[in-house]
Amino acid sequence: MMMWDPRVEEMPVEDVKKLQYRLLKTLVYRLYSFSDFYHTRMREAGVHPDDVRTLGDITKLPFMHKSDLRDNYPNRIFTAPQEEIARYHVSSGTTGKPTVVGYTANDLELWTTSLARALTSCGVGRGDVFQVSYGYGLFTGGLGLHYGVERVGATVLPTSTGNTERQIELMQDLHVTAIACTPSYLMHLGETAGKMGISIANDTDLRLAVLGAEPWSEQMRKKIQENLGIKAYDIYGTSELSGPMFTECAEQNGIHIWGDIAYPEIIDPETGEQLPPGEKGELVMTILKKEALPMIRYRLGDITSLDDSVCACGRTSPRITRIRGRVDDMLIVRGINVFPSQVEHTLMGIPEVDGSAFQIEVDRRGALDSMLVRVEMSKEAFSDKINELMKVRAKVVHQLKSSLNVAADVELVAPGTLPRFEGKAKRVIDRRVY
Amino acid sequence: MAEKKYIIKQVSIFSENKPGRLAAIARALEEAGINILAFSIAEANGFGVVRALVNKPEKAHDCLTKLGFMISFTDVIAVAMRDEPGGLFEIARILGDAGVNIEYSYAYSGKDAAVLILRVDQVEEGIDRILAAGGKLLSVDLFQ
C-alpha cells in the first residue's frame, strides 16, 4: 500500500494522541496570547490554557460557529498580518455576508500535504492525468485539488466547471485517468458522453473519481462505479478548514482525518456533549496547526460518526463515515449551499410576494439538480395583465439568483394556497434520490 | 358622466395552471347561480388569469374570494361589431387613431352582433371615440 508519509500515517494511535495534545496545547497558548477573539472567548468560557492538561480537556474550550466568521467579516479573526497572507478564498455568502478565509504559506503547504496524502491513499500518483472539474477561483475546490494533484506528481488538467462536451473531448484526447468534481456533475458528464456516442467505461482511460461538495450515497457510488467503470472516492472539507482536505483510501470505508493536522469530535448538536465513536452527531473539527485563521472546535453542521479502528489500509487515523445530513436545514443544490432562511429573507424583501408563505421543491432532472420556489403573491400585486405578473415572477427569479448564486424556477401561487405550519415550517420538499 | 354606463366590471381571477382549477371556478359560479356571459383565459408558465363577464359580478367576487381565489375587478368595455369582414378593423382603427392602446381583448358572437370585450388604457377616451364614430357600445345593465 502506497503512503505519502508513512511516518505519520502509520503512527501508533498513542503517539498520535501525544502529538495532538502537544499541538493543541501550543495552539491554545498561542491564541490566548495573540488573538483577541480567542482570548475573549476563553475568558468568557472561564477557561485558561493551563486548564488543558489532557487531550480530553479540549471539551473545556468553547465552540466556534460560522456566524463568528461572518460577524468578524472580512478578516478580524485572522491571526497573521496581511503581508503574511498568501491567499484568500471567499465563500458564496449564501446565508448573508460571505465568509473570507486566509492562508499563510504554511497553511497552503499543510492543505496541499493533507491532499497529497489523501490522493495517494486512493491511488493517484505520477503517471496519472487528473482533471480538476471543480470551480477555480474564490471557491476552494479547484485550486485546492490542483496543488494536491501537482504535489503527488500527477499531471493536472484544470478544466474547472462548465463546457461539458469539451471536458469529455479533453478527457479522451489527453487520456485522463482521474477526475475530481461533484457526483452529480460526473453523472451529467457520463450522460453527455453517452449522447456524444462515447462510453466513459470503454472509450476513455478514466479509472477513478474523487467526489464531493454535495451529499451522495452508497447507492450513487455503486451506480457511478458500474455505469462508468471506475472507482469513486468520497472527499471532505469546507473553506473554513482550508478547503477539500480529506478523502477515503482505497478501502472506501470512511474518510481519513490525519491526526497531526486535525482533531475531529462528534457532539450531540443539542447539548454540545462529546459522543463516543460510532455514535451519530455533529462534526466538530480543530485544525491543529493553522496560522492565518485558526479553528478550534469549529462546528461544521454535518452529521456523521467517527470510526477510530485501524483501517485495513494500515493507516491509524480515525475516519468519519459518510455525511448523513445537516444539523441546520441547509440544502445543497448544484454544489451550492442554500438555506431556506435565505430564500425567506430574499422573498421578504420583495413586496409583490408574501415571503412568509413559500415552499422549495428540489428535484433531480437527469443528473442535475433543479430547484423550484413556489411563493404566494400578495393581493396588491395581482393584476389581470399577464405581463405584469410575468414581471413579478422575473423579479423573484432575478433576486433569488443573485442572493443564492444558483438559479431557481419560480411559481407564483394565490394567497393562502400553500400549507401553513404551527410548529417548525417544513419548507423543503427534496425529491432527489442520491 | 355618460361614459359610466358603458364601463363594465370584469372579474379577473388568478389561477395556477393545474388540472381542476378552472373546474373549481366554474362550479363555484354554478352553485351561486351566476351566469358567465363572456370569458377568456390568459396563460403564462405556471399560472393564468381567468377573465369573465358575469351577470352578478359582486356575488361572483364574494363567493370566489371565500373559496380562497385571488380576484379583482377590471374595467372593460364591450363593443358591438359588424359580424362580417372588416368589423374588427373598424374598431381597432378608431382606437388606434385616437392613441388609445388595447391592452387585451376577447370576442364572442352575441345574439344580435359580434361583441368585442376590450381592456384599454384610457377607458373614457375610448368610449367617447367609439361613440363619436357611430359605434355601438353595450351598456353595463346588459351584464348584470
Side-chain angles (χ1 to χ4, degrees):
Chain A
M1 189 67 67
M2 272 281 290
M3 287 194 194
W4 181 255
D5 188 354
R7 186 186 55 87
V8 282
E9 290 174 61
E10 288 180 313
M11 187 183 280
V13 176
E14 278 317 302
D15 294 350
V16 174
K17 288 196 168 148
K18 276 182 211 159
L19 174 63
Q20 287 180 322
Y21 171 67
R22 221 180 55 229
L23 291 170
L24 177 69
K25 191 87 178 165
T26 311
L27 179 72
V28 172
Y29 266 111
R30 178 164 71 83
L31 294 181
Y32 189 80
S33 313
F34 297 112
S35 157
D36 286 346
F37 173 81
Y38 278 103
H39 185 88
T40 310
R41 270 298 156 91
M42 283 191 243
R43 288 292 291 267
E44 281 168 2
V47 55
H48 186 272
D50 289 341
D51 299 330
V52 180
R53 295 189 195 94
T54 66
L55 192 55
D57 285 339
I58 194 168
T59 57
K60 294 177 180 168
L61 298 168
F63 291 118
M64 193 178 170
H65 302 86
K66 190 172 185 91
S67 56
D68 293 321
L69 290 174
R70 277 206 301 270
D71 296 347
N72 290 285
Y73 179 88
N75 55 3
R76 288 202 297 273
I77 341 184
F78 282 25
T79 49
Q82 187 275 319
E83 59 268 29
E84 295 299 323
I85 304 290
R87 195 194 301 170
Y88 291 121
H89 277 287
V90 183
S91 78
S92 60
T94 309
T95 50
K97 262 217 158 74
T99 52
V100 175
V101 292
Y103 308 77
T104 64
N106 286 335
D107 292 336
L108 290 175
E109 176 61 27
L110 196 72
W111 183 11
T112 300
T113 300
S114 183
L115 270 179
R117 286 185 205 163
L119 291 169
T120 305
S121 81
C122 44
V124 178
R126 205 177 153 78
D128 274 305
V129 180
F130 199 111
Q131 181 167 340
V132 178
S133 300
Y134 279 124
Y136 277 66
L138 292 174
F139 176 59
T140 52
L143 286 166
L145 258 304
H146 183 100
Y147 290 106
V149 171
E150 277 193 353
R151 181 62 57 87
V152 298
T155 310
V156 194
L157 178 63
T159 48
S160 193
T161 49
N163 212 344
T164 306
E165 295 191 1
R166 184 164 164 74
Q167 298 226 5
I168 293 161
E169 271 171 37
L170 290 171
M171 180 182 279
Q172 275 196 308
D173 296 347
L174 297 171
H175 302 280
V176 167
T177 56
I179 187 169
C181 57
T182 61
S184 56
Y185 186 68
L186 186 61
M187 296 284 285
H188 177 67
L189 231 139
E191 282 169 16
T192 308
K195 282 182 200 151
M196 294 162 71
I198 296 163
S199 150
I200 298 279
N202 303 321
D203 307 329
T204 74
D205 294 317
L206 194 71
R207 62 181 186 84
L208 74 90
V210 179
L211 306 173
E214 68 184 14
W216 58 304
S217 63
E218 272 311 305
Q219 293 92 294
M220 180 104 165
R221 184 198 319 253
K222 229 176 132 212
K223 201 166 149 190
I224 288 172
Q225 297 196 147
E226 279 168 10
N227 290 358
L228 306 185
I230 61 169
K231 284 274 199 182
Y233 300 99
D234 203 0
I235 186 165
Y236 186 77
T238 72
S239 61
E240 298 90 329
L241 304 180
S242 274
M245 287 186 102
F246 309 108
T247 71
E248 294 176 312
C249 65
E251 298 294 323
Q252 295 182 313
N253 185 25
I255 293 166
H256 284 272
I257 308 293
W258 315 119
D260 59 326
I261 291 180
Y263 181 76
E265 297 171 74
I266 300 295
I267 60 158
D268 177 332
E270 302 287 329
T271 63
E273 299 261 325
Q274 208 184 69
L275 298 172
E279 277 192 45
K280 216 165 72 171
E282 181 180 358
L283 180 62
V284 171
M285 203 85 94
T286 298
I287 301 288
L288 296 163
K289 291 192 244 191
K290 254 167 107 188
E291 292 178 343
L293 181 55
M295 285 287 151
I296 293 183
R297 301 197 86 202
Y298 184 72
R299 290 182 70 152
L300 286 143
D302 289 318
I303 307 264
T304 177
S305 61
L306 222 51
D307 181 351
D308 64 354
S309 64
V310 174
C311 183
C313 73
R315 292 176 177 85
T316 52
S317 62
R319 284 156 289 149
I320 53 168
T321 55
R322 193 176 280 285
I323 304 300
R324 319 258 183 95
R326 292 280 308 171
V327 169
D328 51 32
D329 53 2
M330 186 180 85
L331 275 168
I332 300 180
V333 179
R334 297 191 176 196
I336 305 237
N337 300 349
V338 173
F339 287 87
S341 55
Q342 176 64 6
V343 172
E344 180 172 315
H345 180 78
T346 307
L347 296 176
M348 287 290 188
I350 306 172
E352 291 89 344
V353 298
D354 177 359
S356 67
F358 70 94
Q359 205 161 48
I360 302 169
E361 294 181 24
V362 195
D363 281 287
R364 185 150 280 178
R365 297 207 183 120
L368 291 178
D369 296 331
S370 71
M371 177 166 57
L372 169 71
V373 175
R374 306 178 73 219
V375 60
E376 290 183 5
M377 225 184 319
S378 57
K379 283 208 168 66
E380 300 71 44
F382 176 53
S383 163
D384 61 309
K385 291 186 224 165
I386 287 285
N387 59 346
E388 294 293 321
L389 297 175
M390 293 296 280
K391 265 187 228 161
V392 173
R393 184 178 165 276
K395 182 174 177 184
V396 178
V397 166
H398 175 77
Q399 298 213 1
L400 283 175
K401 167 85 189 174
S402 59
S403 74
L404 303 177
N405 286 315
V406 60
D409 198 6
V410 168
E411 196 175 296
L412 298 176
V413 304
T417 53
L418 290 176
R420 296 298 194 265
F421 303 94
E422 300 213 335
K424 193 173 154 47
K426 194 182 172 334
R427 298 284 190 209
V428 179
I429 299 169
D430 194 341
R431 284 185 285 256
R432 290 175 293 186
V433 179
Y434 297 113
Chain B
M1 281 202 301
E3 294 92 354
K4 271 267 188 280
K5 67 183 252 204
Y6 298 116
I7 298 176
I8 301 161
K9 271 185 188 172
Q10 167 195 272
V11 289
S12 308
I13 308 148
F14 179 81
S15 173
E16 283 170 67
N17 202 347
K18 275 188 184 152
R21 298 310 290 158
L22 181 58
I25 294 169
R27 186 175 58 195
L29 295 177
E30 183 207 349
E31 283 170 0
I34 294 163
N35 194 21
I36 301 169
L37 304 161
F39 167 87
S40 88
I41 299 180
E43 82 286 348
N45 53 346
F47 62 88
V49 177
V50 175
R51 299 155 180 165
L53 295 191
V54 296
N55 61 348
K56 297 168 197 161
E58 297 291 346
K59 197 170 177 189
H61 186 279
D62 289 350
C63 81
L64 288 168
T65 303
K66 264 185 210 135
L67 287 172
F69 282 99
M70 186 153 51
I71 178 167
S72 70
F73 287 128
T74 310
D75 292 342
V76 296
I77 55 177
V79 194
M81 263 190 306
R82 282 193 294 119
D83 198 356
E84 57 191 58
L88 174 62
F89 169 62
E90 229 172 296
I91 295 156
R93 184 180 51 84
I94 295 167
L95 295 174
D97 288 350
V100 174
N101 189 42
I102 299 171
E103 286 174 340
Y104 59 76
S105 89
Y106 48 105
Y108 72 98
S109 193
K111 279 175 202 139
D112 309 318
V115 179
L116 186 66
I117 314 292
L118 293 166
R119 159 88 142 114
V120 294
D121 61 348
Q122 306 160 67
V123 184
E124 293 180 3
E125 177 74 10
I127 291 170
D128 289 347
R129 292 300 181 120
I130 289 168
L131 292 176
K136 194 185 164 211
L137 286 160
L138 275 57
S139 74
V140 71
D141 42 313
L142 275 171
F143 295 93
Q144 276 168 13

